[in-house]
Amino acid sequence: MTKVADEKVLVLDFGSQYAQLIARRVRQQKVYCEIVRHDISAARIREIAPKGVILSGGPASVYERGAPQCDTEIFRLGIPVLGICYGMQLACDALGGHVQSAPAREYGRAHCRVIDANNELFAGLPAKFEVWMSHGDQISQIAADFLSLAATETCPFAAVKHAVLPLYGLQFHPEVTHTPRGQDILGNFLIKVCRCRGTWELGDFARETIAAIRARVGDDRVICGLSGGVDSAVTAALISQAVGDQLSCILVDNGLLRKAEEEAVIREFTNHFKADLHVVHAEEKFLEALAGVVEPQEKRKRIGHAFIECFSDEAAKIENAKFLAQGTLYPDVIESGGTPDGPAATIKLHHNVGGLPEDLAFELIEPLRDLFKDEVRALGLQLGLPEDVVWRHPFPGPGLAVRCLGEVAKIRLDTLRDADAIVIEEIKKAGLYRKTAQVFAVLLPVQSVGVMGDARTYADVVAVRAIATEDFMTADWCHLPYDLLARISTRIINEVQGVNRVVYDISSKPPATIEWE
């Protein structure tokens, strides 16, 4: 992997839903950041030599048996540390403070009052500002060598600092947008406390990555899978700029693509790449592998295995192919437990990072492995990809199989494809495609009673999902205009055979996920 930055900050993940968001917020300050295991050793951190360490929040209580802990020698490395919520409680507890269940729990917005206005962490901030709290525990007593920096009405230690060690703590969450001055606080920690210069640029990343790929590949050929999504498109663009016509691309039409997806990919590929394109038609193989399977993770496994088989068979026909390029992103790696220092828990399987055979005949190239989705989009624009490719809504690796709840069969996929196409068409007509982060249809494994043309029907139910988000780690459902929802519903029921009911998903993430499976 290319050297991506000369200064780095580590986020120790204690199971927070916001750990990835913290890393993104740090990168938005032009400081490179990685997420690592909460139990990473102080010796390993010393070896990595980060400019700073951030301890994430988490759902546990520090006083519970089995609660995740960290190597307390981290606090004595001389590297600045910022604890957030659970991370703050953990640090204070380890160094002589006391944590207990709060008499008045805080969930939501709170008004924070700065006690020490001269502290670097709150430089440039007003004496009072709004923060986002999400905790049932809080620090009831700090050790003698800690200083209180800020408080809320019910939390006397909303921010603290160690008198000697470069250790800070925040009970609130600066990484969420509900803390309006959160980026200023993180920026103060990075620039004023950690002495980061904020010089990390995607342009540097692209140049270094292209040069590293060129040097590694030499005269050999690289194979890249195209899916129609921005990740594979940006991967292909990077590889193309690195090795030119030594790139061969493979599109596996697994029967799980959106309506007219294959034609769109071929058209875009022809317009923007000069490389060898192979299209594999494998719908029958995938449907056979998915027959009778309803469990989401099992669907992902079988799709991943079938994809590798199809891809490998086609790749074997390409002469002098030594490397396989994948559009794996940093969240994929984290959620799949795919890094030695990264979090161990697997949230879900990703076809890019799970299911590869041990005897893989190619060396992997994953040029986007260290990037988040928004960074990939920015990189795609830098590489000259058109906006309609760069801003295409995300599409899951397993395709429509995870939006076709229950049994995956061709007739059900065709129903879903037609409904989904109507949803996207109407969203675009309304001028809302770029204003929404992801919009799609879901075919439910239930049927409902309806009346169509004086006849009683018992037909399928389609759910429509539209979300707004900056980071895909948290998301709110979109308040689409009623007349738009009405048009979508009317068109689906009238034009898609076998559907008599349309519902709208109004759940946010968390507690729901963006995809239904």
Side-chain angles (χ1 to χ4, degrees):
M1 181 60 205
T2 180
K3 176 177 176 289
V4 295
D6 60 357
E7 57 183 21
K8 179 185 298 186
V9 167
L10 299 181
V11 174
L12 273 60
D13 183 11
F14 292 90
S16 171
Q17 60 180 317
Y18 298 136
Q20 292 184 29
L21 186 53
I22 296 171
R24 283 191 66 257
R25 295 291 184 242
V26 172
R27 292 190 186 188
Q28 286 172 351
Q29 302 274 357
K30 296 185 178 181
V31 176
Y32 185 70
C33 185
E34 288 184 0
I35 299 174
V36 297
R37 297 172 58 96
H38 68 272
D39 56 357
I40 186 173
S41 69
R44 175 60 180 149
I45 291 180
R46 185 185 294 109
E47 180 183 340
I48 296 172
K51 299 286 286 186
V53 172
I54 298 177
L55 311 181
S56 82
S61 294
V62 297
Y63 48 79
E64 289 179 346
R65 184 175 181 179
Q69 303 291 319
C70 68
D71 185 343
T72 57
E73 287 302 310
I74 291 171
F75 305 131
R76 297 177 176 84
L77 292 175
I79 299 172
V81 176
L82 174 64
I84 296 176
C85 199
Y86 180 90
M88 168 188 174
Q89 296 168 11
L90 184 67
C92 289
D93 179 74
L95 296 175
H98 185 66
V99 179
Q100 65 181 35
S101 179
R105 300 186 175 193
E106 285 187 304
Y107 294 100
R109 290 178 173 84
H111 294 284
C112 187
R113 173 176 53 87
V114 176
I115 296 173
D116 181 1
N118 295 320
N119 189 268
E120 293 177 314
L121 207 58
F122 299 127
L125 269 72
K128 292 183 179 180
F129 53 90
E130 193 174 77
V131 299
W132 181 262
M133 291 285 194
S134 181
H135 65 96
D137 296 334
Q138 67 183 35
I139 298 165
S140 59
Q141 182 179 345
I142 55 176
D145 46 7
F146 273 82
L147 306 172
S148 178
L149 302 181
T152 69
E153 185 177 345
T154 59
C155 181
F157 305 112
V160 299
K161 179 190 182 302
H162 195 279
V164 178
L165 302 173
L167 171 61
Y168 295 78
L170 299 173
Q171 182 58 70
F172 56 87
H173 289 271
E175 69 274 20
V176 301
T177 55
H178 302 307
T179 300
R181 301 302 295 269
Q183 274 294 77
D184 296 324
I185 296 171
L186 286 175
N188 285 338
F189 175 71
L190 296 169
I191 305 302
K192 296 182 180 297
V193 178
C194 299
R195 306 301 183 206
C196 294
R197 300 186 304 279
T199 57
W200 186 63
E201 298 280 358
L202 274 176
D204 298 334
F205 174 89
R207 286 189 293 273
E208 291 181 8
T209 301
I210 289 169
I213 292 171
R214 187 179 295 125
R216 182 181 175 190
V217 171
D219 297 328
D220 292 311
R221 180 163 289 277
V222 182
I223 298 174
C224 179
L226 289 178
S227 66
V230 62
D231 305 338
S232 65
V234 174
T235 298
L238 272 172
I239 303 295
S240 179
Q241 290 201 17
V243 300
D245 60 8
Q246 293 168 237
L247 171 66
S248 291
C249 290
I250 298 176
L251 169 63
V252 176
D253 185 350
N254 53 15
L256 307 174
L257 302 178
R258 289 170 286 199
K259 193 168 186 176
E261 188 88 68
E262 178 185 324
E263 295 88 340
V265 173
I266 294 174
R267 182 175 61 253
E268 290 158 1
F269 178 90
T270 304
N271 290 339
H272 302 293
F273 298 106
K274 294 180 180 179
D276 180 36
L277 175 62
H278 299 244
V279 179
V280 180
H281 297 97
E283 178 184 54
E284 186 175 339
K285 179 181 181 68
F286 279 80
L287 291 180
E288 182 179 339
L290 290 168
V293 178
V294 297
E295 203 278 319
Q297 291 289 69
E298 184 62 25
K299 285 183 182 178
R300 291 177 180 270
K301 287 180 181 178
R302 296 198 179 199
I303 291 168
H305 292 156
F307 175 83
I308 291 299
E309 288 180 13
C310 290
F311 196 92
S312 298
D313 288 346
E314 188 64 27
K317 304 174 185 176
I318 301 174
E319 295 183 0
N320 200 34
K322 183 179 179 181
F323 297 93
L324 169 62
Q326 294 191 137
T328 307
L329 303 192
Y330 195 42
D332 300 338
V333 176
I334 294 168
E335 293 180 353
S336 300
T339 58
D341 292 322
T346 298
I347 298 173
K348 59 184 176 181
L349 295 176
H350 293 268
H351 73 288
N352 279 346
V353 290
L356 291 175
E358 293 182 4
D359 59 346
L360 185 69
F362 309 102
E363 295 182 30
L364 281 179
I365 296 178
E366 297 176 311
L368 309 181
R369 188 180 176 89
D370 295 314
L371 301 184
F372 288 102
K373 177 71 77 173
D374 59 323
E375 294 168 334
V376 171
R377 292 192 194 280
L379 182 60
L381 293 174
Q382 287 185 12
L383 295 171
L385 290 176
E387 289 198 2
D388 62 336
V389 173
V390 170
W391 290 105
R392 179 174 292 160
H393 285 183
F395 188 59
L400 294 179
V402 296
R403 296 176 181 173
C404 184
L405 275 62
E407 184 180 1
V408 179
K410 179 172 174 51
I411 187 172
R412 301 192 75 229
L413 289 168
D414 288 341
T415 298
L416 176 56
R417 245 186 293 270
D418 290 342
D420 186 71
I422 290 172
V423 173
I424 298 300
E425 181 182 336
E426 289 297 332
I427 290 291
K428 288 182 176 179
K429 282 182 180 179
L432 294 176
Y433 191 76
R434 284 285 299 274
K435 295 180 181 179
T436 53
Q438 201 166 354
V439 181
F440 55 90
V442 180
L443 184 62
L444 304 187
V446 295
Q447 292 185 312
S448 71
V449 174
V451 177
M452 302 177 75
D454 295 329
R456 184 179 185 274
T457 63
Y458 192 59
D460 290 327
V461 179
V462 166
V464 176
R465 178 78 155 141
I467 60 105
T469 179
E470 292 182 359
D471 46 62
F472 293 91
M473 290 155 236
T474 60
D476 290 325
W477 60 277
C478 290
H479 294 244
L480 297 180
Y482 288 157
D483 58 345
L484 172 58
L485 290 173
R487 285 198 303 275
I488 290 173
S489 176
T490 300
R491 284 196 59 194
I492 290 175
I493 292 172
N494 287 343
E495 299 175 30
V496 181
Q497 188 174 1
V499 176
N500 68 357
R501 191 179 300 270
V502 174
V503 298
Y504 188 53
D505 183 346
I506 58 169
S507 44
S508 297
K509 175 187 180 181
T513 54
I514 293 174
E515 297 288 346
W516 278 48
E517 285 197 349

